[in-house]
Amino acid sequence: MDIQNLLEDIAGAVRPVAAAGAVADYIPSLSSVSADHFGISVATADGELYGAGEWDTPFSIQSISKVFSLALVLAGDGDRIWQRVFREPSGTPFNSLVQLESEEGIPRNPFINAGALVVTDRLITLTGDAGASVRDLLRRESGNPGIAADPLVAASEAKFGHRNASLAHLLASYGNLENPVGLVLEQYFDQCALEMSCRDLAVGGRFLGRNGVAADGTQFLSPSQTKRINAVMLTCGTYDAAGEFAYRVGLPGKSGVGGGIVAVVPGRCTICVWSPGLSKSGNSLAGVEALDEFTTRTGWSIF
């Protein structure tokens, strides 16, 4: 299969879809990004790398960072995090307070904002600096030592992150934070503000397609832990549109409101797409279209 030509064909086919989406505007630093960008990259389990479109252009990874903070917590602390976070789809917006209150401070899954705040909190306890830990993991795995958080995006999230602050205080009121609310929010915003390209994320997430084997050949996660992260990505990784994503794409995936999506074909490859125009659920319109095309034309799906 000629993957490079396939990616270039997909990039040309889906680019007209990109402009139809709406760029995230509740984070002012993201609202100025043009909706019509598109990039795609594939990093195979055996070390090959392909890309098309703007696959080397850095963008704000936002909620994609939640996969890597969860991986670090599982690697460092085993299954203890599941005493504080459920593993079920939410069916509600990613920043909902209603569900958190009705379920007495236990977030529905680690990929909605409330769940990610609990994971970040635990990572602070384990490492002292959750934001730096996620950054350093991604630098090692991607081979790009220049990965860093955009301070303007982090500041913008802190200034306008009233809903996240409310979630964090609600978690604290139920005793589900170990660290001060201000510290948890600061480090959560730092990890979400990391800037990476499709190339960086496809290579940086390759361990998810290699049974947890890191870039240096060591076992970062056990095969069982890797399977379970991929399972939660499939059921919970694309906000309240996880069923539609599984139906169309058929892969574990995690999206971010910066327009990126990372998807995993276990045993084969990791894929990253980026296009900032979003659907109402907060997922990249052109990104989902591209992944649908990729799995349909390659037959690479978990189903």
PDB file of all heavy atoms in Angstrom, residues 266-286:
ATOM      1  N   PRO A 266      -4.160  -0.442  16.627  1.00  0.00           N
ATOM      2  CA  PRO A 266      -3.264  -1.280  17.436  1.00  0.00           C
ATOM      3  C   PRO A 266      -2.460  -2.260  16.585  1.00  0.00           C
ATOM      4  O   PRO A 266      -2.997  -2.947  15.708  1.00  0.00           O
ATOM      5  CB  PRO A 266      -4.238  -2.015  18.368  1.00  0.00           C
ATOM      6  CG  PRO A 266      -5.398  -1.074  18.498  1.00  0.00           C
ATOM      7  CD  PRO A 266      -5.543  -0.466  17.141  1.00  0.00           C
ATOM      8  N   GLY A 267      -1.148  -2.271  16.845  1.00  0.00           N
ATOM      9  CA  GLY A 267      -0.256  -3.162  16.122  1.00  0.00           C
ATOM     10  C   GLY A 267       0.204  -2.640  14.781  1.00  0.00           C
ATOM     11  O   GLY A 267       1.117  -3.223  14.178  1.00  0.00           O
ATOM     12  N   ARG A 268      -0.398  -1.534  14.298  1.00  0.00           N
ATOM     13  CA  ARG A 268      -0.052  -1.020  12.972  1.00  0.00           C
ATOM     14  C   ARG A 268       0.539   0.382  12.993  1.00  0.00           C
ATOM     15  O   ARG A 268       1.628   0.612  12.488  1.00  0.00           O
ATOM     16  CB  ARG A 268      -1.273  -1.016  12.053  1.00  0.00           C
ATOM     17  CG  ARG A 268      -1.675  -2.354  11.496  1.00  0.00           C
ATOM     18  CD  ARG A 268      -2.736  -2.153  10.439  1.00  0.00           C
ATOM     19  NE  ARG A 268      -3.211  -3.393   9.869  1.00  0.00           N
ATOM     20  CZ  ARG A 268      -2.695  -3.961   8.790  1.00  0.00           C
ATOM     21  NH1 ARG A 268      -1.657  -3.404   8.174  1.00  0.00           N
ATOM     22  NH2 ARG A 268      -3.203  -5.086   8.317  1.00  0.00           N
ATOM     23  N   CYS A 269      -0.210   1.348  13.569  1.00  0.00           N
ATOM     24  CA  CYS A 269       0.237   2.730  13.445  1.00  0.00           C
ATOM     25  C   CYS A 269      -0.544   3.641  14.374  1.00  0.00           C
ATOM     26  O   CYS A 269      -1.562   3.245  14.959  1.00  0.00           O
ATOM     27  CB  CYS A 269       0.068   3.233  12.003  1.00  0.00           C
ATOM     28  SG  CYS A 269      -1.655   3.409  11.466  1.00  0.00           S
ATOM     29  N   THR A 270      -0.040   4.864  14.480  1.00  0.00           N
ATOM     30  CA  THR A 270      -0.767   5.954  15.114  1.00  0.00           C
ATOM     31  C   THR A 270      -0.930   7.056  14.068  1.00  0.00           C
ATOM     32  O   THR A 270      -0.009   7.328  13.293  1.00  0.00           O
ATOM     33  CB  THR A 270      -0.004   6.493  16.337  1.00  0.00           C
ATOM     34  OG1 THR A 270       0.249   5.419  17.232  1.00  0.00           O
ATOM     35  CG2 THR A 270      -0.808   7.546  17.058  1.00  0.00           C
ATOM     36  N   ILE A 271      -2.095   7.679  14.053  1.00  0.00           N
ATOM     37  CA  ILE A 271      -2.427   8.705  13.061  1.00  0.00           C
ATOM     38  C   ILE A 271      -2.763   9.990  13.796  1.00  0.00           C
ATOM     39  O   ILE A 271      -3.430   9.961  14.835  1.00  0.00           O
ATOM     40  CB  ILE A 271      -3.660   8.285  12.228  1.00  0.00           C
ATOM     41  CG1 ILE A 271      -3.541   6.842  11.745  1.00  0.00           C
ATOM     42  CG2 ILE A 271      -3.877   9.242  11.059  1.00  0.00           C
ATOM     43  CD1 ILE A 271      -4.868   6.210  11.411  1.00  0.00           C
ATOM     44  N   CYS A 272      -2.321  11.117  13.261  1.00  0.00           N
ATOM     45  CA  CYS A 272      -2.779  12.403  13.775  1.00  0.00           C
ATOM     46  C   CYS A 272      -3.283  13.251  12.618  1.00  0.00           C
ATOM     47  O   CYS A 272      -2.617  13.352  11.571  1.00  0.00           O
ATOM     48  CB  CYS A 272      -1.665  13.143  14.511  1.00  0.00           C
ATOM     49  SG  CYS A 272      -2.214  14.748  15.189  1.00  0.00           S
ATOM     50  N   VAL A 273      -4.446  13.831  12.795  1.00  0.00           N
ATOM     51  CA  VAL A 273      -4.997  14.793  11.839  1.00  0.00           C
ATOM     52  C   VAL A 273      -5.208  16.115  12.553  1.00  0.00           C
ATOM     53  O   VAL A 273      -5.399  16.158  13.767  1.00  0.00           O
ATOM     54  CB  VAL A 273      -6.330  14.305  11.226  1.00  0.00           C
ATOM     55  CG1 VAL A 273      -6.106  13.108  10.332  1.00  0.00           C
ATOM     56  CG2 VAL A 273      -7.340  13.959  12.322  1.00  0.00           C
ATOM     57  N   TRP A 274      -5.162  17.200  11.783  1.00  0.00           N
ATOM     58  CA  TRP A 274      -5.396  18.531  12.352  1.00  0.00           C
ATOM     59  C   TRP A 274      -6.141  19.404  11.361  1.00  0.00           C
ATOM     60  O   TRP A 274      -5.735  19.540  10.204  1.00  0.00           O
ATOM     61  CB  TRP A 274      -4.085  19.220  12.717  1.00  0.00           C
ATOM     62  CG  TRP A 274      -4.248  20.673  13.090  1.00  0.00           C
ATOM     63  CD1 TRP A 274      -5.019  21.175  14.094  1.00  0.00           C
ATOM     64  CD2 TRP A 274      -3.660  21.805  12.436  1.00  0.00           C
ATOM     65  NE1 TRP A 274      -4.933  22.553  14.121  1.00  0.00           N
ATOM     66  CE2 TRP A 274      -4.099  22.961  13.109  1.00  0.00           C
ATOM     67  CE3 TRP A 274      -2.787  21.937  11.343  1.00  0.00           C
ATOM     68  CZ2 TRP A 274      -3.713  24.243  12.733  1.00  0.00           C
ATOM     69  CZ3 TRP A 274      -2.392  23.207  10.965  1.00  0.00           C
ATOM     70  CH2 TRP A 274      -2.855  24.349  11.669  1.00  0.00           C
ATOM     71  N   SER A 275      -7.240  19.952  11.815  1.00  0.00           N
ATOM     72  CA  SER A 275      -7.973  20.979  11.086  1.00  0.00           C
ATOM     73  C   SER A 275      -8.852  21.695  12.101  1.00  0.00           C
ATOM     74  O   SER A 275      -9.658  21.053  12.782  1.00  0.00           O
ATOM     75  CB  SER A 275      -8.825  20.367   9.972  1.00  0.00           C
ATOM     76  OG  SER A 275      -9.402  21.380   9.173  1.00  0.00           O
ATOM     77  N   PRO A 276      -8.682  23.008  12.279  1.00  0.00           N
ATOM     78  CA  PRO A 276      -9.301  23.708  13.417  1.00  0.00           C
ATOM     79  C   PRO A 276     -10.815  23.890  13.354  1.00  0.00           C
ATOM     80  O   PRO A 276     -11.421  24.232  14.364  1.00  0.00           O
ATOM     81  CB  PRO A 276      -8.609  25.081  13.409  1.00  0.00           C
ATOM     82  CG  PRO A 276      -7.396  24.915  12.579  1.00  0.00           C
ATOM     83  CD  PRO A 276      -7.738  23.866  11.567  1.00  0.00           C
ATOM     84  N   GLY A 277     -11.432  23.713  12.185  1.00  0.00           N
ATOM     85  CA  GLY A 277     -12.874  23.868  12.094  1.00  0.00           C
ATOM     86  C   GLY A 277     -13.592  22.722  12.785  1.00  0.00           C
ATOM     87  O   GLY A 277     -13.432  21.559  12.396  1.00  0.00           O
ATOM     88  N   LEU A 278     -14.400  23.037  13.787  1.00  0.00           N
ATOM     89  CA  LEU A 278     -14.991  22.021  14.648  1.00  0.00           C
ATOM     90  C   LEU A 278     -16.479  21.806  14.399  1.00  0.00           C
ATOM     91  O   LEU A 278     -17.188  22.721  13.964  1.00  0.00           O
ATOM     92  CB  LEU A 278     -14.805  22.419  16.120  1.00  0.00           C
ATOM     93  CG  LEU A 278     -13.398  22.768  16.590  1.00  0.00           C
ATOM     94  CD1 LEU A 278     -13.434  23.188  18.056  1.00  0.00           C
ATOM     95  CD2 LEU A 278     -12.437  21.616  16.368  1.00  0.00           C
ATOM     96  N   SER A 279     -16.942  20.616  14.738  1.00  0.00           N
ATOM     97  CA  SER A 279     -18.373  20.327  14.796  1.00  0.00           C
ATOM     98  C   SER A 279     -18.939  20.878  16.097  1.00  0.00           C
ATOM     99  O   SER A 279     -18.211  21.373  16.961  1.00  0.00           O
ATOM    100  CB  SER A 279     -18.597  18.817  14.739  1.00  0.00           C
ATOM    101  OG  SER A 279     -18.109  18.221  15.937  1.00  0.00           O
ATOM    102  N   LYS A 280     -20.251  20.750  16.270  1.00  0.00           N
ATOM    103  CA  LYS A 280     -20.884  21.217  17.507  1.00  0.00           C
ATOM    104  C   LYS A 280     -20.382  20.446  18.734  1.00  0.00           C
ATOM    105  O   LYS A 280     -20.429  20.958  19.848  1.00  0.00           O
ATOM    106  CB  LYS A 280     -22.408  21.110  17.392  1.00  0.00           C
ATOM    107  CG  LYS A 280     -23.019  22.106  16.421  1.00  0.00           C
ATOM    108  CD  LYS A 280     -24.533  21.989  16.382  1.00  0.00           C
ATOM    109  CE  LYS A 280     -25.140  23.011  15.424  1.00  0.00           C
ATOM    110  NZ  LYS A 280     -26.625  22.896  15.357  1.00  0.00           N
ATOM    111  N   SER A 281     -19.905  19.239  18.522  1.00  0.00           N
ATOM    112  CA  SER A 281     -19.388  18.436  19.635  1.00  0.00           C
ATOM    113  C   SER A 281     -17.944  18.761  19.974  1.00  0.00           C
ATOM    114  O   SER A 281     -17.403  18.232  20.947  1.00  0.00           O
ATOM    115  CB  SER A 281     -19.504  16.943  19.309  1.00  0.00           C
ATOM    116  OG  SER A 281     -20.853  16.556  19.201  1.00  0.00           O
ATOM    117  N   GLY A 282     -17.299  19.609  19.166  1.00  0.00           N
ATOM    118  CA  GLY A 282     -15.924  19.999  19.445  1.00  0.00           C
ATOM    119  C   GLY A 282     -14.871  19.166  18.753  1.00  0.00           C
ATOM    120  O   GLY A 282     -13.685  19.249  19.088  1.00  0.00           O
ATOM    121  N   ASN A 283     -15.280  18.360  17.766  1.00  0.00           N
ATOM    122  CA  ASN A 283     -14.341  17.534  17.015  1.00  0.00           C
ATOM    123  C   ASN A 283     -14.097  18.129  15.627  1.00  0.00           C
ATOM    124  O   ASN A 283     -15.011  18.688  15.015  1.00  0.00           O
ATOM    125  CB  ASN A 283     -14.883  16.112  16.864  1.00  0.00           C
ATOM    126  CG  ASN A 283     -15.122  15.444  18.201  1.00  0.00           C
ATOM    127  OD1 ASN A 283     -14.252  15.431  19.055  1.00  0.00           O
ATOM    128  ND2 ASN A 283     -16.328  14.918  18.389  1.00  0.00           N
ATOM    129  N   SER A 284     -12.879  17.980  15.132  1.00  0.00           N
ATOM    130  CA  SER A 284     -12.520  18.518  13.825  1.00  0.00           C
ATOM    131  C   SER A 284     -13.366  17.883  12.719  1.00  0.00           C
ATOM    132  O   SER A 284     -13.361  16.661  12.545  1.00  0.00           O
ATOM    133  CB  SER A 284     -11.043  18.253  13.549  1.00  0.00           C
ATOM    134  OG  SER A 284     -10.711  18.551  12.215  1.00  0.00           O
ATOM    135  N   LEU A 285     -14.066  18.714  11.952  1.00  0.00           N
ATOM    136  CA  LEU A 285     -14.894  18.192  10.858  1.00  0.00           C
ATOM    137  C   LEU A 285     -14.050  17.492   9.798  1.00  0.00           C
ATOM    138  O   LEU A 285     -14.313  16.351   9.426  1.00  0.00           O
ATOM    139  CB  LEU A 285     -15.680  19.339  10.208  1.00  0.00           C
ATOM    140  CG  LEU A 285     -16.971  19.784  10.875  1.00  0.00           C
ATOM    141  CD1 LEU A 285     -17.538  20.992  10.138  1.00  0.00           C
ATOM    142  CD2 LEU A 285     -17.992  18.653  10.881  1.00  0.00           C
ATOM    143  N   ALA A 286     -13.027  18.192   9.301  1.00  0.00           N
ATOM    144  CA  ALA A 286     -12.180  17.608   8.261  1.00  0.00           C
ATOM    145  C   ALA A 286     -11.359  16.451   8.818  1.00  0.00           C
ATOM    146  O   ALA A 286     -11.047  15.495   8.102  1.00  0.00           O
ATOM    147  CB  ALA A 286     -11.269  18.670   7.657  1.00  0.00           C
TER     148      ALA A 286
END
